[in-house]
Amino acid sequence: MASLTAGVVLRVLILAALLVAAVQTASAQTNAKLRPLHIALANQSVTMTAIYVAKQLGIFESYGYDARVMVLEPRAALAALLAGELDFYTAIGSTARAALRGLPVRVGLVALNRPDFSLVATKDIATIEQLKGKVIGGYTPQGTVNVVLNEMLRRKGFKPDDYKVINAGTARAAALSSGTIQVAVLNSVETVRMVKQGFHVLGRAADELELPQSGLGMSVASAQNRREFLKPVVKAVLEAIQIIAKQKDKTVAVLMKQLALSQGDASHVYDSLHKGWALDGKPTAAAMTLDAELSMRDMGLKELPKPEQVYDFSLLDEVGKK
């Protein structure tokens, strides 16, 4: 009896091992059929939610992609786009300004029409007016963070020489926390964490500005030569935006996992930008106008840039016709 039992157990174990092997083989074959998709984010923030949702909820995979998502600062990302090593870059503000400088890149989809930035300061700075003469933590020259900062302060009557910007990249929150600087422009996730440390918000860009901030930037060469590869990606991101706008609970769960937030904090950052998502993948008229005005002023252009210098919505339009 013991021998029979041992034999049965052995056969069960062998069968289980064979089943595991079969599942692993099937999984490997499935992954092998997926096309590698390389997307770079400017940072880990709520503005990138469309990419998080599309990846975590299996939307990219349902369109046949193995999405490989990384974080790159603008110069590296734009170089990778032009070299064909990157399919899309989500920092469309940086992509747009690169296009206006003559680089062959375009914005193919806008996911968000509200900037996710706040001016966060130490306790001894109570108002924006007190920022005159102060050093403020920015990101990179002509990056969206800096452009938004300059516009927020301009609307408060500041001139460029009334303050100084230190470009700390993604280390802005760390510089503020360490006391290296007294104020910084932070995204909503960083802001939530810094407020818990005793810092406070002087102003939120989303409350007063409409400006395209995230989406899909691409090279002109890719838009011309790889259209059939790129179009399903555009469709996948549009699908993700619809989920974000209409399914808060599902989106909050993604943010909790992706950004290591509590449910309350994830709900807060979700609400802060909820009205800004671009359901059709395009900028609002107000967002496009402000973007053009800021580019002209900050880049020293002689006239307002034309939309075709920055945007190429042909892929988006083709997806919409199907």
Side-chain angles (χ1 to χ4, degrees), residues 6 39-40 43 55 60 64 76 105 141 164 176-177 183 186 204 215 236 310:
I39 299 179
N43 51 50
K55 183 171 175 63
F60 282 138
V105 294
K164 181 178 179 181
L176 181 60
S177 183
V183 62
L186 305 181
R204 299 181 188 277
V310 172

Side-chain angles (χ1 to χ4, degrees), residues 7-317:
V8 171
V9 172
L10 180 60
R11 286 196 295 274
V12 170
L13 291 174
I14 292 173
L15 179 59
L18 289 173
L19 287 172
V20 170
V23 170
Q24 290 175 338
T25 300
S27 178
Q29 290 174 344
T30 299
N31 289 335
K33 294 177 182 177
L34 297 177
R35 295 169 291 178
L37 171 65
H38 298 94
I39 299 179
L41 316 178
N43 51 50
Q44 295 284 4
S45 73
V46 69
T47 62
M48 309 301 160
T49 303
I51 303 302
Y52 303 149
V53 167
K55 183 171 175 63
Q56 286 194 31
L57 300 187
I59 299 174
F60 282 138
E61 190 170 338
S62 72
Y63 283 93
Y65 297 103
D66 174 15
R68 302 169 185 183
V69 181
M70 65 203 82
V71 175
L72 291 176
E73 59 90 22
R75 287 172 296 181
L78 292 167
L81 276 181
L82 296 177
E85 298 169 353
L86 189 64
D87 298 311
F88 289 106
Y89 188 40
T90 62
I92 59 171
S94 296
T95 302
R97 284 181 284 281
L100 293 175
R101 291 196 302 271
L103 289 184
V105 294
R106 293 291 186 274
V107 174
L109 177 145
V110 171
L112 185 64
N113 281 306
R114 292 277 176 175
D116 175 43
F117 298 117
S118 297
L119 277 168
V120 181
T122 53
K123 293 178 181 179
D124 56 320
I125 300 176
T127 66
I128 289 180
E129 286 70 24
Q130 290 178 262
L131 296 182
K132 285 191 176 181
K134 294 292 191 299
V135 176
I136 304 173
Y139 186 47
T140 61
Q142 295 188 349
T144 302
V145 171
N146 294 37
V147 170
V148 168
L149 166 65
N150 293 336
E151 177 62 11
M152 289 181 72
L153 294 184
R154 186 192 70 81
R155 293 187 178 201
K156 294 293 184 180
F158 282 65
K159 297 177 181 178
D161 56 0
D162 285 338
Y163 57 95
K164 181 178 179 181
V165 178
I166 286 184
N167 294 308
T170 57
R172 301 187 305 279
L176 181 60
S177 183
S178 68
T180 304
I181 54 178
Q182 290 180 286
V183 62
V185 186
L186 305 181
N187 64 47
S188 59
V189 175
E190 294 168 325
T191 299
V192 164
R193 292 169 178 161
M194 294 302 290
V195 167
K196 290 181 178 179
Q197 295 181 36
F199 296 87
H200 65 279
V201 176
L202 298 178
R204 299 181 188 277
D207 293 339
E208 50 187 288
L209 304 179
E210 281 189 65
L211 188 69
Q213 184 170 350
S214 71
L216 294 174
M218 59 194 176
S219 71
V220 171
S222 288
Q224 293 173 344
N225 304 320
R226 303 176 66 230
R227 300 183 72 78
E228 296 310 309
F229 177 86
L230 300 181
K231 279 193 288 187
V233 183
V234 171
K235 194 170 183 179
V237 174
L238 278 176
E239 187 174 324
I241 293 171
Q242 293 289 331
I243 290 174
I244 296 166
K246 300 175 182 178
Q247 301 184 49
K248 178 176 179 177
D249 290 346
K250 188 175 287 188
T251 305
V252 166
V254 169
L255 291 173
M256 290 171 64
K257 180 179 179 181
Q258 183 68 44
L259 302 175
L261 295 171
S262 68
Q263 185 172 5
D265 287 347
S267 179
H268 175 78
V269 299
Y270 173 91
D271 291 340
S272 68
L273 288 176
H274 181 255
K275 64 182 179 180
W277 295 103
L279 298 181
D280 61 354
K282 295 183 179 181
T284 61
M288 185 178 284
T289 297
L290 179 58
D291 193 28
E293 292 173 351
L294 294 181
S295 294
M296 183 176 73
R297 184 173 69 241
D298 293 342
M299 297 181 68
L301 305 177
K302 294 182 179 180
E303 59 183 19
L304 286 173
K306 297 178 175 61
E308 59 268 25
Q309 292 177 268
V310 172
Y311 302 102
D312 177 0
F313 292 132
S314 59
L315 292 173
L316 189 63
D317 291 339

